[in-house]
Amino acid sequence: MKITGKINEVRNQVKEWRKEGLTVGLVPTMGYLHEGHQSLIKRAVAENDRVVVSIFVNPMQFGPTEDLESYPRDLKADSKLCEETGASLIFNPEPEEMYEDGFCSFVDMTGLTNALCGLSRPVHFRGVCTVVNKLFNIVKPDRAYFGEKDAQQLAVIKRMVKDLNMDIEIVGCPIIREADGLAKSSRNTYLGEKEREAALILSKSIFMGKKMVEDGERDAEKVKKAMRDLINTEPLADIDYVEIVDVNTMKSMEKISGEILCAIAVNIGGKARLIDNFMLMV
Ligand code: AMP
């Protein structure tokens, strides 16, 4: 497995593979890899001849008060995980390689991004769409893999690919959780012992909400209220949002029907803003 921070080297390597008629999968990440990322890499390895994992903490998708500086990094451990999982190339550029002096072109989106995380993180999806577009242009993969953990991001990327006629298959992969239910996240590392315990309230409320809908509840407000009430029993939890939306439009709904996304964002002890969700077809 190779590691490079240079766009040209990625391009040359992918050209070589193409000459041999090989297919290429891309897994975009911000590193500090865990089993959630690994599930994406495994799937990519199973479905492509070669897999590129990008590791880039993208400054453009962080707001001015967010955790860009403190975001965890460990290239050595990440390389080991990628190699063991069968990736062929890690692309870990410096910000200067991705954003040269004078950079001023962006991929922006309306609609889908004016909901959920887009409301509390106003610059986030512009940064995500721009960097993913750049990664697609650099790697030119056949398929790219994204986690349902970031369900809005997955919907946004699928829409961008459709709207801008990108010839790339977007593959969504299920949420990987800790044994006790907490969705795996690089940001879980911000949690101390007390906060780690408190963070369980996210998955508990997700499982409860999902059961309510599966058992036939169709009043979105009732489900959201039950979830909010449960989360509020945890003193360290501070709700950003609890929402039920149409997964294709991100529009809030009163009566639960169709392809739904129930998504939550909760701040735990002022240490970490965590997200979780469930998706159902009802
Ligand atoms: P990140 O490094 O947090 O930007 O995540 C990179 C990719 O891994 C994104 O597509 C995420 O949705 C995905 N991912 C992160 N955590 C998980 C998880 N627990 N289960 C499945 N996918 C995940």
Side-chain angles (χ1 to χ4, degrees):
M1 188 191 68
K2 283 191 200 167
I3 305 181
T4 181
K6 297 288 168 236
I7 292 169
N8 270 342
E9 287 183 17
V10 176
R11 286 223 160 106
N12 290 337
Q13 176 63 83
V14 174
K15 270 185 203 151
E16 293 289 315
W17 290 336
R18 291 291 181 203
K19 266 192 227 152
E20 296 172 46
L22 301 175
T23 57
V24 180
L26 170 67
V27 182
T29 81
M30 297 205 299
Y32 213 71
L33 304 179
H34 50 65
E35 286 158 46
H37 301 107
Q38 193 173 27
S39 71
L40 272 55
I41 303 171
K42 270 192 196 151
R43 176 100 183 253
V45 167
E47 296 178 351
N48 302 273
D49 298 315
R50 296 290 181 269
V51 170
V52 179
V53 178
S54 64
I55 297 180
F56 180 54
V57 183
N58 175 33
M60 199 189 285
Q61 71 191 64
F62 287 76
T65 60
E66 294 179 358
D67 57 344
L68 173 62
E69 294 308 322
S70 55
Y71 198 85
R73 292 160 167 90
D74 188 346
L75 186 59
K76 209 168 152 210
D78 290 351
S79 309
K80 188 161 175 276
L81 183 145
C82 287
E83 175 124 53
E84 285 172 1
T85 315
S88 305
L89 176 68
I90 291 179
F91 175 46
N92 71 317
E94 292 298 324
E96 300 72 39
E97 177 77 1
M98 292 295 272
Y99 304 112
E100 280 178 36
D101 265 359
F103 185 95
C104 58
S105 306
F106 301 89
V107 179
D108 222 337
M109 193 180 279
T110 55
L112 289 193
T113 54
N114 295 330
L116 310 180
C117 287
L119 295 177
S120 34
R121 307 186 70 191
V123 300
H124 179 65
F125 287 112
R126 179 194 222 223
V128 168
C129 287
T130 302
V131 81
V132 169
N133 205 318
K134 284 171 68 70
L135 290 168
F136 284 178
N137 287 333
I138 293 164
V139 178
K140 299 205 184 79
D142 298 284
R143 300 177 193 85
Y145 296 79
F146 293 86
E148 289 174 359
K149 157 91 186 336
D150 299 271
Q152 186 177 16
Q153 169 174 280
L154 176 59
V156 162
I157 299 295
K158 279 186 179 164
R159 188 76 225 186
M160 176 182 83
V161 163
K162 190 174 175 193
D163 286 352
L164 302 182
N165 308 98
M166 297 172 166
D167 193 12
I168 295 173
E169 184 189 338
I170 302 302
V171 183
C173 304
I175 301 178
I176 305 295
R177 299 178 178 280
E178 302 287 353
D180 61 6
L182 179 67
K184 286 189 185 264
S185 164
S186 310
R187 289 190 166 99
N188 291 348
T189 181
Y190 298 149
L191 306 169
E193 208 177 313
K194 269 195 330 217
E195 291 90 14
R196 173 65 182 75
E197 190 62 32
L200 275 182
I201 206 65
L202 278 96
S203 51
K204 278 187 188 155
S205 77
I206 285 293
F207 298 153
M208 187 198 65
K210 186 165 185 229
K211 178 144 195 327
M212 283 178 80
V213 180
E214 282 171 343
D215 287 349
E217 183 57 67
R218 292 293 175 265
D219 182 339
E221 188 46 43
K222 268 198 192 148
V223 178
K224 290 192 285 187
K225 181 172 182 324
M227 291 174 69
R228 281 196 304 264
D229 288 349
L230 180 61
I231 298 169
N232 285 331
T233 61
E234 172 50 63
L236 289 178
D238 182 16
I239 295 175
D240 179 353
Y241 64 76
V242 173
E243 261 303 344
I244 299 180
V245 300
D246 179 302
V247 79
N248 296 308
T249 61
M250 295 292 138
K251 290 231 164 71
S252 192
M253 57 176 71
E254 281 174 26
K255 185 173 178 310
I256 296 176
S257 75
E259 250 184 296
I260 68 147
L261 162 66
C262 174
I264 64 177
V266 180
N267 207 297
I268 299 292
K271 294 252 170 88
R273 180 183 174 281
L274 302 179
I275 57 174
D276 202 344
N277 71 76
F278 67 86
M279 287 190 262
L280 278 180
M281 178 74 195
V282 292

Coordinates of all heavy atoms in Angstrom, one line a residue, residues 107-180:
V107 N -18.5 24.3 -4.6 CA -19.8 23.6 -5.0 C -20.8 23.9 -3.8 O -20.5 23.5 -2.7 CB -19.6 22.1 -5.1 CG1 -20.9 21.5 -5.5 CG2 -18.5 21.9 -6.2
D108 N -21.8 24.6 -4.2 CA -22.8 25.0 -3.2 C -24.1 24.3 -3.4 O -24.4 23.9 -4.6 CB -23.0 26.5 -3.2 CG -23.1 27.1 -1.8 OD1 -23.5 26.3 -0.9 OD2 -22.9 28.3 -1.7
M109 N -24.9 24.1 -2.4 CA -26.2 23.5 -2.6 C -27.3 24.2 -1.8 O -27.0 24.7 -0.7 CB -26.1 22.0 -2.1 CG -27.3 21.2 -2.6 SD -27.1 19.5 -2.0 CE -26.0 18.8 -3.2
T110 N -28.5 24.2 -2.3 CA -29.6 24.8 -1.5 C -30.5 23.7 -1.2 O -30.3 22.5 -1.6 CB -30.3 25.9 -2.4 OG1 -30.8 25.2 -3.6 CG2 -29.4 27.0 -2.7
G111 N -31.6 24.0 -0.5 CA -32.6 22.9 -0.2 C -32.2 21.9 0.8 O -32.3 22.1 2.0
L112 N -31.6 20.8 0.3 CA -31.2 19.7 1.2 C -30.3 20.2 2.3 O -30.3 19.5 3.4 CB -30.4 18.7 0.4 CG -31.1 17.8 -0.6 CD1 -30.2 16.7 -1.1 CD2 -32.4 17.3 -0.1
T113 N -29.6 21.2 2.1 CA -28.6 21.7 3.2 C -29.3 22.7 4.1 O -28.6 23.1 5.1 CB -27.4 22.3 2.5 OG1 -27.8 23.3 1.6 CG2 -26.6 21.2 1.7
N114 N -30.5 23.1 3.8 CA -31.2 24.0 4.8 C -32.0 23.3 5.8 O -33.2 23.6 6.0 CB -32.1 25.0 4.0 CG -31.2 25.9 3.1 OD1 -30.1 26.2 3.4 ND2 -31.8 26.3 2.0
A115 N -31.4 22.3 6.4 CA -32.1 21.5 7.4 C -31.1 20.8 8.3 O -29.9 20.9 8.0 CB -33.0 20.4 6.7
L116 N -31.5 20.2 9.4 CA -30.7 19.4 10.2 C -29.3 20.1 10.5 O -29.2 21.2 10.9 CB -30.5 18.0 9.6 CG -31.8 17.3 9.2 CD1 -31.4 15.9 8.6 CD2 -32.7 17.1 10.3
C117 N -28.2 19.3 10.2 CA -26.9 19.9 10.5 C -26.5 21.1 9.7 O -25.7 22.0 10.1 CB -25.8 18.8 10.2 SG -25.8 17.5 11.4
G118 N -27.2 21.3 8.5 CA -26.9 22.5 7.7 C -27.4 23.8 8.4 O -26.8 24.9 8.2
L119 N -28.3 23.7 9.4 CA -28.8 24.9 10.1 C -27.8 25.3 11.2 O -27.5 26.5 11.3 CB -30.2 24.6 10.7 CG -31.3 24.4 9.7 CD1 -32.6 24.1 10.4 CD2 -31.5 25.6 8.8
S120 N -27.3 24.3 11.9 CA -26.4 24.7 13.0 C -24.9 24.8 12.5 O -24.0 25.3 13.2 CB -26.5 23.7 14.2 OG -26.8 22.4 13.7
R121 N -24.7 24.2 11.3 CA -23.3 24.3 10.7 C -23.4 24.9 9.3 O -23.3 24.2 8.3 CB -22.7 22.9 10.6 CG -22.7 22.1 12.0 CD -22.0 20.8 11.9 NE -20.5 21.0 11.8 CZ -19.6 20.1 11.5 NH1 -20.1 18.8 11.3 NH2 -18.4 20.3 11.4
P122 N -23.6 26.2 9.2 CA -23.9 26.9 7.9 C -22.9 26.7 6.8 O -23.3 26.7 5.7 CB -24.1 28.3 8.3 CG -23.7 28.5 9.7 CD -23.5 27.2 10.3
V123 N -21.6 26.5 7.1 CA -20.6 26.4 6.0 C -20.3 24.9 5.7 O -19.5 24.6 4.8 CB -19.3 27.2 6.4 CG1 -19.6 28.6 6.6 CG2 -18.6 26.6 7.6
H124 N -20.8 24.1 6.6 CA -20.4 22.7 6.5 C -20.5 22.0 5.1 O -19.6 21.5 4.6 CB -21.1 21.9 7.6 CG -20.8 20.4 7.6 ND1 -19.5 20.0 8.0 CD2 -21.5 19.3 7.4 CE1 -19.5 18.7 7.9 NE2 -20.7 18.2 7.6
F125 N -21.8 22.0 4.6 CA -22.0 21.2 3.4 C -21.4 21.8 2.1 O -21.0 21.1 1.2 CB -23.5 21.0 3.2 CG -24.0 19.9 4.2 CD1 -24.9 20.3 5.2 CD2 -23.6 18.6 4.1 CE1 -25.3 19.3 6.1 CE2 -24.0 17.7 5.0 CZ -24.9 18.0 6.0
R126 N -21.2 23.1 2.2 CA -20.4 23.8 1.1 C -19.0 23.2 1.0 O -18.4 22.8 0.0 CB -20.4 25.3 1.3 CG -19.6 26.0 0.2 CD -19.4 27.4 0.7 NE -19.6 28.4 -0.3 CZ -18.8 29.4 -0.5 NH1 -17.8 29.6 0.2 NH2 -19.0 30.2 -1.5
G127 N -18.4 23.1 2.2 CA -17.1 22.5 2.4 C -17.0 21.0 2.0 O -16.1 20.6 1.3
V128 N -18.1 20.3 2.4 CA -18.1 18.9 2.1 C -18.3 18.7 0.6 O -17.5 17.9 -0.1 CB -19.3 18.2 2.8 CG1 -19.6 16.8 2.3 CG2 -19.0 18.1 4.3
C129 N -19.2 19.4 0.0 CA -19.5 19.2 -1.5 C -18.2 19.6 -2.3 O -17.9 19.0 -3.3 CB -20.7 20.1 -1.9 SG -22.2 19.4 -1.4
T130 N -17.6 20.7 -1.9 CA -16.4 21.2 -2.6 C -15.3 20.1 -2.5 O -14.7 19.8 -3.5 CB -15.9 22.5 -2.1 OG1 -17.0 23.4 -2.2 CG2 -14.8 23.1 -2.9
V131 N -15.0 19.6 -1.3 CA -13.9 18.7 -1.2 C -14.2 17.4 -1.8 O -13.3 16.8 -2.5 CB -13.4 18.6 0.3 CG1 -14.3 17.6 1.1 CG2 -12.0 18.1 0.4
V132 N -15.4 16.9 -1.7 CA -15.7 15.6 -2.3 C -15.7 15.7 -3.8 O -15.2 14.8 -4.5 CB -17.1 15.1 -1.8 CG1 -17.6 13.9 -2.7 CG2 -17.1 14.7 -0.4
N133 N -16.1 16.9 -4.4 CA -16.0 17.1 -5.8 C -14.5 17.1 -6.2 O -14.2 16.4 -7.2 CB -16.6 18.5 -6.1 CG -17.1 18.6 -7.5 OD1 -16.4 18.1 -8.4 ND2 -18.2 19.2 -7.7
K134 N -13.7 17.7 -5.5 CA -12.2 17.7 -5.8 C -11.7 16.3 -5.7 O -10.9 15.9 -6.6 CB -11.5 18.6 -4.8 CG -11.7 20.1 -5.1 CD -11.1 21.0 -4.0 CE -9.6 20.9 -3.9 NZ -8.9 21.6 -5.0
L135 N -12.0 15.6 -4.7 CA -11.5 14.2 -4.5 C -12.0 13.3 -5.7 O -11.3 12.5 -6.2 CB -12.0 13.6 -3.2 CG -11.4 14.1 -2.0 CD1 -12.1 13.7 -0.7 CD2 -9.9 13.8 -1.9
F136 N -13.3 13.5 -6.1 CA -13.8 12.8 -7.3 C -13.0 13.1 -8.5 O -12.7 12.3 -9.4 CB -15.3 13.1 -7.5 CG -16.2 12.5 -6.6 CD1 -17.6 12.7 -6.6 CD2 -15.8 11.6 -5.6 CE1 -18.5 12.1 -5.7 CE2 -16.6 11.0 -4.7 CZ -18.0 11.2 -4.8
N137 N -12.6 14.4 -8.7 CA -11.8 14.8 -9.9 C -10.4 14.3 -9.8 O -9.8 14.1 -10.9 CB -11.8 16.3 -10.0 CG -13.2 16.9 -10.5 OD1 -13.9 16.1 -11.2 ND2 -13.5 18.1 -10.1
I138 N -9.9 14.2 -8.6 CA -8.5 13.7 -8.5 C -8.4 12.2 -8.7 O -7.6 11.7 -9.5 CB -7.9 14.1 -7.1 CG1 -7.8 15.6 -7.0 CG2 -6.6 13.4 -6.8 CD1 -7.6 16.1 -5.6
V139 N -9.3 11.5 -8.1 CA -9.2 10.0 -8.1 C -10.0 9.4 -9.3 O -9.7 8.3 -9.8 CB -9.8 9.4 -6.8 CG1 -9.8 7.9 -6.8 CG2 -8.9 9.9 -5.6
K140 N -11.1 10.1 -9.7 CA -12.0 9.6 -10.8 C -12.4 8.1 -10.5 O -12.1 7.2 -11.3 CB -11.3 9.7 -12.1 CG -10.9 11.1 -12.6 CD -10.9 11.1 -14.1 CE -10.4 12.5 -14.6 NZ -8.9 12.6 -14.5
P141 N -13.0 7.9 -9.3 CA -13.3 6.5 -9.0 C -14.6 6.0 -9.7 O -15.4 6.8 -10.3 CB -13.7 6.6 -7.5 CG -14.2 8.0 -7.3 CD -13.5 8.8 -8.3
D142 N -14.8 4.7 -9.8 CA -16.0 4.1 -10.3 C -17.1 4.2 -9.3 O -18.3 4.5 -9.6 CB -15.8 2.6 -10.6 CG -14.8 2.4 -11.7 OD1 -15.1 2.7 -12.9 OD2 -13.6 2.1 -11.4
R143 N -16.7 4.0 -8.0 CA -17.6 4.0 -6.9 C -17.0 4.8 -5.7 O -15.8 4.7 -5.5 CB -18.0 2.6 -6.4 CG -18.6 1.8 -7.5 CD -18.9 0.3 -7.0 NE -19.1 -0.5 -8.2 CZ -18.2 -1.0 -9.0 NH1 -16.9 -0.9 -8.6 NH2 -18.5 -1.6 -10.1
A144 N -17.9 5.4 -4.9 CA -17.4 6.1 -3.7 C -18.3 5.7 -2.6 O -19.6 5.5 -2.7 CB -17.4 7.6 -3.9
Y145 N -17.7 5.5 -1.4 CA -18.4 4.9 -0.2 C -18.6 5.9 0.9 O -17.7 6.5 1.3 CB -17.6 3.7 0.2 CG -17.6 2.6 -0.8 CD1 -16.8 2.7 -1.9 CD2 -18.5 1.6 -0.8 CE1 -16.8 1.8 -3.0 CE2 -18.6 0.6 -1.9 CZ -17.7 0.7 -2.9 OH -17.7 -0.2 -4.0
F146 N -19.9 6.0 1.4 CA -20.2 6.9 2.5 C -21.1 6.2 3.5 O -21.8 5.3 3.2 CB -21.0 8.1 1.9 CG -20.1 9.0 1.0 CD1 -20.0 8.7 -0.4 CD2 -19.4 10.1 1.5 CE1 -19.2 9.5 -1.2 CE2 -18.6 10.9 0.6 CZ -18.5 10.6 -0.7
G147 N -20.9 6.6 4.8 CA -21.7 6.0 5.8 C -23.0 6.6 6.0 O -23.2 7.8 5.9
E148 N -24.0 5.8 6.4 CA -25.3 6.3 6.8 C -25.3 7.0 8.1 O -26.3 7.7 8.5 CB -26.3 5.1 6.8 CG -26.6 4.6 5.4 CD -27.5 3.3 5.4 OE1 -27.9 2.8 6.5 OE2 -27.8 2.8 4.4
K149 N -24.2 6.9 8.8 CA -24.0 7.6 10.1 C -24.2 9.1 9.8 O -24.8 9.8 10.6 CB -22.6 7.3 10.6 CG -22.0 8.4 11.5 CD -22.4 8.0 13.0 CE -21.9 9.1 14.0 NZ -20.9 9.9 13.6
D150 N -23.7 9.6 8.6 CA -23.9 11.0 8.2 C -24.9 11.0 7.1 O -24.6 11.2 5.9 CB -22.5 11.5 7.7 CG -21.5 11.5 8.8 OD1 -21.4 12.5 9.6 OD2 -20.8 10.5 8.9
A151 N -26.2 10.8 7.5 CA -27.2 10.5 6.5 C -27.5 11.7 5.7 O -27.8 11.6 4.5 CB -28.5 10.1 7.3
Q152 N -27.4 12.9 6.2 CA -27.7 14.1 5.4 C -26.5 14.3 4.4 O -26.8 14.6 3.2 CB -27.8 15.3 6.3 CG -28.2 16.6 5.5 CD -28.4 17.8 6.4 OE1 -27.9 17.8 7.5 NE2 -29.0 18.8 5.9
Q153 N -25.3 14.0 4.8 CA -24.2 14.1 3.9 C -24.4 13.1 2.7 O -24.1 13.5 1.6 CB -22.9 13.8 4.7 CG -21.7 13.6 3.8 CD -20.4 13.4 4.6 OE1 -19.8 14.4 5.0 NE2 -20.0 12.2 4.8
L154 N -24.8 11.9 3.1 CA -25.0 10.9 2.0 C -26.1 11.4 1.0 O -25.9 11.3 -0.2 CB -25.4 9.6 2.7 CG -25.8 8.4 1.8 CD1 -24.6 8.0 0.9 CD2 -26.2 7.2 2.6
A155 N -27.2 11.9 1.5 CA -28.2 12.4 0.6 C -27.7 13.6 -0.2 O -28.0 13.7 -1.4 CB -29.4 12.9 1.5
V156 N -26.9 14.5 0.4 CA -26.4 15.6 -0.3 C -25.4 15.2 -1.4 O -25.5 15.7 -2.5 CB -25.6 16.6 0.7 CG1 -24.7 17.5 0.1 CG2 -26.7 17.3 1.6
I157 N -24.6 14.2 -1.1 CA -23.6 13.7 -2.1 C -24.3 13.1 -3.3 O -24.0 13.3 -4.5 CB -22.6 12.8 -1.5 CG1 -21.8 13.4 -0.4 CG2 -21.7 12.1 -2.6 CD1 -20.9 14.6 -0.8
K158 N -25.3 12.2 -2.9 CA -26.1 11.6 -4.0 C -26.8 12.6 -4.9 O -26.8 12.5 -6.1 CB -27.2 10.7 -3.4 CG -26.7 9.4 -2.9 CD -27.9 8.5 -2.4 CE -27.4 7.1 -1.9 NZ -28.5 6.5 -1.1
R159 N -27.3 13.7 -4.3 CA -28.0 14.7 -5.1 C -27.0 15.5 -5.9 O -27.2 15.8 -7.1 CB -28.7 15.7 -4.1 CG -29.6 16.7 -4.7 CD -30.9 16.1 -5.2 NE -31.2 16.5 -6.5 CZ -32.3 16.2 -7.1 NH1 -33.3 15.5 -6.5 NH2 -32.6 16.7 -8.3
M160 N -25.8 15.8 -5.4 CA -24.8 16.5 -6.1 C -24.4 15.7 -7.4 O -24.3 16.2 -8.5 CB -23.6 16.7 -5.2 CG -22.4 17.4 -6.0 SD -20.9 17.6 -4.9 CE -20.2 16.0 -5.0
V161 N -24.2 14.4 -7.2 CA -23.7 13.5 -8.3 C -24.8 13.5 -9.4 O -24.5 13.5 -10.6 CB -23.4 12.1 -7.7 CG1 -23.4 11.0 -8.8 CG2 -22.1 12.1 -6.9
K162 N -26.0 13.4 -8.9 CA -27.2 13.4 -9.9 C -27.3 14.7 -10.6 O -27.3 14.8 -11.9 CB -28.4 13.1 -9.1 CG -29.6 12.8 -9.9 CD -30.8 12.4 -9.0 CE -32.0 12.2 -9.9 NZ -33.2 12.1 -9.1
D163 N -27.3 15.8 -9.8 CA -27.5 17.2 -10.4 C -26.3 17.5 -11.4 O -26.6 18.2 -12.4 CB -27.5 18.2 -9.3 CG -28.9 18.2 -8.6 OD1 -29.8 17.4 -9.0 OD2 -29.0 18.9 -7.6
L164 N -25.1 17.1 -11.0 CA -24.0 17.6 -11.8 C -23.5 16.5 -12.8 O -22.4 16.6 -13.3 CB -22.8 18.1 -10.9 CG -23.2 19.2 -10.0 CD1 -22.0 19.7 -9.1 CD2 -23.8 20.4 -10.7
N165 N -24.3 15.4 -13.0 CA -24.0 14.4 -13.9 C -22.6 13.7 -13.7 O -21.9 13.5 -14.7 CB -24.1 14.9 -15.4 CG -25.4 15.6 -15.6 OD1 -25.5 16.8 -15.5 ND2 -26.4 14.8 -15.8
M166 N -22.3 13.5 -12.5 CA -21.0 12.8 -12.2 C -21.2 11.3 -12.5 O -22.1 10.7 -12.0 CB -20.5 13.1 -10.8 CG -20.3 14.6 -10.6 SD -20.1 14.8 -8.8 CE -19.4 16.5 -8.9
D167 N -20.2 10.7 -13.2 CA -20.3 9.3 -13.5 C -19.7 8.4 -12.4 O -18.7 7.7 -12.6 CB -19.7 9.1 -14.9 CG -20.0 7.7 -15.5 OD1 -21.0 7.1 -14.9 OD2 -19.4 7.3 -16.4
I168 N -20.3 8.5 -11.2 CA -19.8 7.8 -10.1 C -20.9 7.2 -9.3 O -21.9 7.8 -9.1 CB -19.0 8.7 -9.1 CG1 -17.8 9.3 -9.9 CG2 -18.6 8.0 -7.8 CD1 -17.0 10.4 -9.1
E169 N -20.8 5.9 -8.9 CA -21.8 5.3 -8.1 C -21.6 5.6 -6.7 O -20.5 5.3 -6.2 CB -21.8 3.7 -8.4 CG -22.9 3.0 -7.7 CD -22.7 1.5 -7.7 OE1 -22.0 1.0 -8.7 OE2 -23.2 0.8 -6.9
I170 N -22.6 6.1 -6.0 CA -22.5 6.4 -4.6 C -23.1 5.2 -3.8 O -24.2 4.9 -3.9 CB -23.2 7.7 -4.2 CG1 -22.6 8.9 -5.0 CG2 -23.1 8.0 -2.7 CD1 -21.1 9.1 -4.9
V171 N -22.3 4.6 -2.9 CA -22.7 3.5 -2.1 C -22.8 3.9 -0.6 O -21.8 4.3 0.0 CB -21.7 2.3 -2.3 CG1 -22.2 1.1 -1.5 CG2 -21.4 2.0 -3.7
G172 N -24.0 3.7 -0.1 CA -24.2 4.0 1.3 C -24.1 2.8 2.2 O -24.5 1.7 1.7
C173 N -23.4 2.9 3.3 CA -23.1 1.7 4.2 C -23.7 2.0 5.6 O -23.7 3.1 6.1 CB -21.6 1.5 4.3 SG -20.8 1.4 2.7
P174 N -24.2 0.9 6.2 CA -24.9 1.0 7.5 C -24.0 1.5 8.6 O -22.8 1.4 8.6 CB -25.4 -0.4 7.8 CG -24.8 -1.3 6.8 CD -24.2 -0.5 5.7
I175 N -24.7 2.1 9.7 CA -24.0 2.6 10.8 C -23.4 1.5 11.6 O -24.1 0.5 12.0 CB -25.0 3.4 11.8 CG1 -25.7 4.5 11.0 CG2 -24.3 3.8 13.0 CD1 -26.7 5.3 11.9
I176 N -22.1 1.6 12.0 CA -21.5 0.6 12.9 C -21.5 1.2 14.3 O -21.1 2.4 14.5 CB -20.0 0.4 12.4 CG1 -20.0 -0.1 11.0 CG2 -19.3 -0.6 13.3 CD1 -20.7 -1.5 10.7
R177 N -21.8 0.4 15.3 CA -22.0 0.9 16.6 C -21.1 0.1 17.6 O -20.6 -1.0 17.3 CB -23.4 0.7 17.1 CG -24.5 1.4 16.3 CD -25.9 1.2 16.7 NE -26.8 2.0 15.9 CZ -27.0 3.3 16.1 NH1 -26.5 3.9 17.1 NH2 -27.8 4.0 15.3
E178 N -20.8 0.8 18.7 CA -20.1 0.1 19.8 C -21.1 -1.0 20.4 O -22.3 -0.9 20.1 CB -19.8 1.0 21.0 CG -18.9 2.2 20.6 CD -17.5 1.9 20.3 OE1 -17.1 0.7 20.6 OE2 -16.7 2.7 19.8
A179 N -20.5 -1.9 21.2 CA -21.4 -3.0 21.7 C -22.6 -2.5 22.5 O -23.7 -3.0 22.5 CB -20.5 -3.9 22.6
D180 N -22.4 -1.3 23.1 CA -23.5 -0.8 23.9 C -24.5 0.1 23.1 O -25.4 0.7 23.7 CB -23.0 0.0 25.2 CG -22.1 1.1 24.8 OD1 -22.0 1.5 23.6 OD2 -21.5 1.8 25.8

